[in-house]
Amino acid sequence: MIYLLLSVLSSSVIFVIFKLFERFKINTLQAIIFNYFFAFSAGMLVDRQELDPLNVLSKDWFLGTFILGFMFIAVFYLAAITTQKSGLSVVSVATKMSVAIPVFFGIILYNESTGWIKIMGILLALVAVYLTSIKKKEGITIRKRNLIFPLLVFFGSGIIDTTLKFLETSYVAEADVALFSSTIFAIAGIIGVLILLIQAIRGTLKLSFKNVIGGVALGIPNFGSIYFLVMALRTEGLESSTIFPINNVAIVMISTFLGILLFKEKMLSKNWIGILLAITSIILIATSEEWM
């Protein structure tokens, strides 16, 4: 359970860093691209193995990391478009409610346990994410022509988590967890550099050193969020249909509290209801096996 807690804390720190990006006017795309290389470096420090590119290319999981690296960049880009067209709350809901996808596959493909307590906890988690993510009194509204973007974020985020689970279960040895995580970030970083090169050719690229600093700040917790999540998925006795909903709803809950404490964010009554439901859902999911 300690790895799950560390994954939640790492992801919550990412929320704080993104808020600081906004305050210091850091280019989010550039910072995220730079962050992938620093996340890769953090993974190499944890791995403590001599880096052999040919060895990495020969790994059974390499193709999967290439797909994940591409998905990281693609989902981020789609999230940015969704934020511009429909607002941050829509992105938050689409990203976190995507937990339904890996949970479904965990139950179907890996015959993970179910039961009315666990199902109730998962459903409460989805409701909690929705209520906690709404920051405007009018709630969430999406124009029909923009609906495709949050749907792509929803499915993209779900596919990332599902692919992580599949690769971790089928191909990644315990000794390769750090290398596996680092490779995902390296590929995402390379794809990101190609994007910057395209911007440079078009004459729209404006680099700033503070964006590099933002990448450094983001890199370490970003690596931790993936590394600790994979380690949590490897923990004996913890199923992915338990880990993913607890991970997502706990991130939303802690991020909300950090927003209140650090950035004086105002809470609506529905946000507090969401937090109470989040706590309830975590208790139900975490203790569901005891009721079976």
Side-chain angles (χ1 to χ4, degrees), residues 86 90 140-144 146-147 150:
S86 303
V90 175
I140 289 179
T141 56
I142 308 173
R143 294 181 179 179
K144 289 184 179 180
N146 296 330
L147 183 60

Side-chain angles (χ1 to χ4, degrees), residues 80-92:
I81 293 176
T82 305
T83 301
Q84 294 168 1
K85 294 183 177 295
S86 303
L88 189 59
S89 295
V90 175
V91 174
S92 181

Side-chain angles (χ1 to χ4, degrees), residues 99-123 162 165 169 239-245 285 288-289 292:
V99 69
I101 296 175
V103 167
F104 173 79
F105 278 98
I107 293 172
I108 299 299
L109 295 182
Y110 304 107
N111 296 316
E112 294 183 354
S113 64
T114 54
W116 70 272
I117 295 290
K118 188 172 188 176
I119 292 173
M120 183 182 295
I122 293 170
L123 292 176
T162 304
K165 169 61 181 176
T169 302
E239 298 177 329
S240 64
S241 56
T242 296
I243 291 172
F244 282 120
I285 296 170
S288 60
E289 293 186 11
M292 295 181 65

Side-chain angles (χ1 to χ4, degrees), residues 35-57:
N35 122 86
Y36 288 137
F37 293 103
F38 291 110
F40 168 77
S41 301
M44 289 297 93
L45 291 174
V46 172
D47 189 48
R48 296 181 181 178
Q49 297 183 46
E50 184 177 346
L51 180 61
D52 182 355
L54 292 178
N55 178 48
V56 173
L57 290 172

Side-chain angles (χ1 to χ4, degrees), residues 24-177:
F24 292 102
K25 301 187 185 304
I26 290 175
N27 184 295
T28 304
L29 174 61
Q30 289 185 21
I32 284 181
I33 291 172
F34 292 132
N35 122 86
Y36 288 137
F37 293 103
F38 291 110
F40 168 77
S41 301
M44 289 297 93
L45 291 174
V46 172
D47 189 48
R48 296 181 181 178
Q49 297 183 46
E50 184 177 346
L51 180 61
D52 182 355
L54 292 178
N55 178 48
V56 173
L57 290 172
S58 67
K59 294 290 186 180
D60 292 334
W61 43 256
F62 176 74
L63 178 60
T65 59
F66 186 85
I67 294 171
L68 284 171
F70 173 78
M71 290 293 295
F72 273 29
I73 289 285
V75 171
F76 164 74
Y77 179 69
L78 290 167
I81 293 176
T82 305
T83 301
Q84 294 168 1
K85 294 183 177 295
S86 303
L88 189 59
S89 295
V90 175
V91 174
S92 181
V93 170
T95 302
K96 297 307 176 186
M97 291 190 75
S98 68
V99 69
I101 296 175
V103 167
F104 173 79
F105 278 98
I107 293 172
I108 299 299
L109 295 182
Y110 304 107
N111 296 316
E112 294 183 354
S113 64
T114 54
W116 70 272
I117 295 290
K118 188 172 188 176
I119 292 173
M120 183 182 295
I122 293 170
L123 292 176
L124 281 180
L126 294 175
V127 175
V129 166
Y130 176 81
L131 292 176
T132 309
S133 299
I134 299 173
K135 300 302 180 184
K136 296 180 180 179
K137 291 184 179 180
E138 62 269 22
I140 289 179
T141 56
I142 308 173
R143 294 181 179 179
K144 289 184 179 180
R145 67 172 181 268
N146 296 330
L147 183 60
I148 184 64
F149 297 111
L151 285 176
L152 288 174
V153 170
F154 172 82
F155 285 110
S157 299
I159 290 170
I160 287 174
D161 287 342
T162 304
T163 306
L164 274 175
K165 169 61 181 176
F166 173 72
L167 293 173
E168 177 276 323
T169 302
S170 305
Y171 298 108
V172 182
E174 186 169 354
D176 285 341
V177 172

